[in-house]
Every structure is written in structure tokens, then in C-alpha cells.
């Protein structure tokens, strides 16, 4: 389990260093280092990401660096979408969810490889309808694959919401926390129907280590080039995304026989 705790620290460290993207490590760490089943890992990831993001948002709230109007426009549809995504997860196998997750990792790497100016672009006037639509879409993605979606939320808040980066990061963290907890709540019912139970001690330990790592990352990040960090993390996501694809696509194309089919 030592590798798993190191993974938890890296989740928080990357969140503290980059402000987004770190939560995308949670599911692979839980699946490949802890050995959690696919759906259980996605559910537990939402609880862990939600806890770390909520604590991360507190300093921004104290500095009044959260735009509550954007939390309403983006967060409410995001919470709805995450709940819906978690409900839809019952129709997908864990292998399919992990395949979608790998695609999200590769998308995140593309977003991080782009220069900051290109990713953010010029700020536009607020469009509540566009913000709500993207919030709903990102929320469904969060519920299906268990990622916070900060790498999508921050550009959306800047491009569609017209927020400066100083407000976008803190606002994003609060939205991620709200969405993650909504998705986790729904997953508790989904898992109960499948006779699966979350490991609360694992969630607590990962959250605490992740929070500590995020504070350390925030301190270290002041002395490190943000662009270099993003490129390095994006490269890591490409490798991880391809690995997750390679281990799950064959299972999607050639699913193992079910108990019913073996009986026949």
C-alpha cells in the first residue's frame, strides 16, 4: 500500500501545483495501485476529489476569490449533470467507463499541452446559457468517469464566463467539490444495488494525504515554471491514458462471457 499512499500524495501535489488536472490521477491509483474494482474506484474517486477540492477552495473563499454567480450558472447544471452521469453508469460496464476515462485523460493532456494564452483566449461577455450547457456536459462526464473536470471548467469560466484566472481557479474548485459530492451520493445507491460498499477508511486517508499534498504543491509551485509542470504532467497523462486504453479496449471488444452465457 506504500505505492498507493505515494499516489495519494501525488494527487494532492499535482492539484496544488497546477490548480487542476490532479484529480484525474485518482481513478488509476485506486484501480492499479490499490486494486479497487472499476465502479468502486470511480465512486471513491468522486468522494476523494470532492474533499480535496473543498479544502482547496477555502483559502480562495477567505480571499473573496470565488465568483458566486458562476458557481450558480455552472455549478447547479454541473451538479445535475453529475447526478445524471452517475445514474447512467448502471448501463455501462466498469471496463467501458475506464475506456472513456482513458479518452478523458488524453483530452486533458491535449488541453495542458496548449499554451496558456491559447487555452484561455480572450475573455467574452458572460453567456449564462452557454455556461449552463457546458456545466451540464462536464457534469455528466464527471458522473460517468469520476474526474473533477477542472481542466475543462477553468477554460470555460474564462472563455464563456469572462472570469480572470484569479477567480476562475477558486470558483472551479468549489464547483468540482459540489459536483463530486453529488455524484458520490448517487453512486452510493448504485453500488448498494450491486452489493458493493465503499471503503470509508480508504477515502479518508486518501483525502487527508491529498489535502496535505495540495498545500505542499502550492508552496513548491511558487518556485517552479508552471508551463514546464503542465507539459510534464501532460506527457504523463498521455502514457497513462494509452496504458488504460491498452488494458481495457481488448476487454470492450472481446468481453468475457457472462454467467448466463456460460450456462447455455
Amino acid at each position: 500500500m506504500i505505492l498507493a499512499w505515494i499516489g495519494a500524495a501525488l494527487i494532492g501535489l499535482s492539484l496544488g501545483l497546477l490548480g487542476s488536472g490532479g484529480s484525474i490521477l485518482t481513478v488509476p491509483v485506486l484501480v492499479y495501485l490499490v486494486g479497487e474494482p472499476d465502479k468502486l474506484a470511480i465512486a471513491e474517486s468522486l468522494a476523494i476529489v470532492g474533499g480535496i477540492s473543498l479544502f482547496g477552495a477555502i483559502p480562495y473563499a477567505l480571499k473573496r476569490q470565488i465568483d458566486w454567480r458562476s458557481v450558480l450558472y455552472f455549478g447547479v447544471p454541473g451538479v445535475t449533470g453529475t447526478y445524471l452521469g452517475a445514474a447512467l453508469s448502471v448501463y455501462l460496464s466498469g471496463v467501458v467507463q475506464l475506456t472513456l476515462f482513458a479518452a478523458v485523460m488524453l483530452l486533458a493532456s491535449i488541453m495542458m499541452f496548449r499554451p496558456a494564452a491559447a487555452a484561455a483566449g480572450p475573455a467574452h461577455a458572460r453567456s449564462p446559457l452557454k455556461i449552463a450547457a457546458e456545466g451540464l456536459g462536464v457534469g455528466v462526464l464527471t458522473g460517468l468517469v469520476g474526474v473533477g473536470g477542472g481542466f475543462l471548467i477553468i477554460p470555460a469560466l474564462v472563455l464563456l464566463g469572462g472570469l480572470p484566472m484569479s477567480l476562475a481557479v477558486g470558483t472551479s474548485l468549489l464547483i468540482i467539490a459540489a459536483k463530486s459530492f453529488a455524484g458520490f451520493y448517487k453512486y452510493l445507491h448504485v453500488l448498494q444495488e450491486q452489493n458493493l460498499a465503499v471503503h470509508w477508511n480508504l477515502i479518508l486517508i486518501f483525502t487527508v494525504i491529498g489535502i496535505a499534498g495540495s498545500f505542499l504543491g502550492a508552496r513548491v509551485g511558487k518556485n517552479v515554471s508552471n508551463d514546464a509542470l503542465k507539459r510534464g504532467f501532460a506527457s504523463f497523462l498521455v502514457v497513462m491514458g494509452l496504458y488504460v486504453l491498452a488494458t481495457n479496449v481488448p476487454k470492450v471488444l472481446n468481453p468475457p462471457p457472462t454467467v448466463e452465457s456460460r450456462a447455455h
Side-chain angles (χ1 to χ4, degrees):
M1 286 294 283
I2 293 178
L3 285 177
W5 306 145
I6 293 173
L10 289 176
I11 292 165
L13 191 65
S14 53
L15 275 170
L17 286 169
L18 301 170
S20 68
S23 61
I24 209 165
L25 296 175
T26 312
V27 171
V29 168
L30 291 173
V31 171
Y32 297 109
L33 295 184
V34 180
E36 292 289 79
D38 307 336
K39 286 188 180 292
L40 199 55
I42 290 171
E44 291 169 346
S45 168
L46 288 171
I48 293 164
V49 169
I52 296 173
S53 299
L54 182 60
F55 272 85
I58 291 173
Y60 289 94
L62 294 176
K63 296 175 186 175
R64 298 186 178 179
Q65 290 181 327
I66 291 177
D67 185 79
W68 295 98
R69 187 179 178 185
S70 294
V71 171
L72 178 66
Y73 286 157
F74 199 105
V76 172
V79 166
T80 304
T82 304
Y83 190 89
L84 178 62
L88 290 173
S89 71
V90 299
Y91 300 105
L92 299 176
S93 67
V95 171
V96 171
Q97 286 178 273
L98 283 184
T99 303
L100 288 173
F101 178 85
V104 172
M105 291 187 87
L106 295 175
L107 174 62
S109 68
I110 292 170
M111 299 286 289
M112 288 187 169
F113 271 126
R114 296 171 66 190
H124 299 293
R126 296 183 182 192
S127 173
L129 189 60
K130 288 182 179 179
I131 295 173
E134 180 140 352
L136 183 66
V138 175
V140 171
L141 192 64
T142 297
L144 282 176
V145 301
V147 297
F151 64 95
L152 292 172
I153 295 173
I154 290 177
L157 291 174
V158 174
L159 283 168
L160 302 178
L163 295 186
M165 282 299 293
S166 58
L167 285 178
V169 174
T171 305
S172 170
L173 286 170
L174 192 59
I175 291 170
I176 289 170
K179 292 193 304 102
S180 298
F181 288 137
F184 178 65
Y185 174 77
K186 180 58 181 175
Y187 263 103
L188 288 177
H189 298 87
V190 172
L191 294 174
Q192 189 175 26
E193 292 172 0
Q194 299 182 9
N195 295 318
L196 292 171
V198 297
H199 299 125
W200 292 101
N201 57 336
L202 185 69
I203 291 172
L204 178 61
I205 293 171
F206 261 69
T207 303
V208 171
I209 294 175
I211 291 169
S214 68
F215 282 117
L216 176 62
R219 284 180 172 273
V220 174
K222 296 175 182 178
N223 305 314
V224 184
S225 167
N226 193 259
D227 288 338
L229 282 170
K230 283 195 171 184
R231 285 193 297 271
F233 189 71
S235 300
F236 176 73
L237 287 184
V238 170
V239 174
M240 277 299 303
L242 292 175
Y243 176 77
V244 176
L245 275 179
T247 54
N248 288 279
V249 168
K251 298 176 186 176
V252 173
L253 298 177
N254 298 294
T258 61
V259 174
E260 291 82 1
S261 64
R262 285 198 298 266
H264 294 293

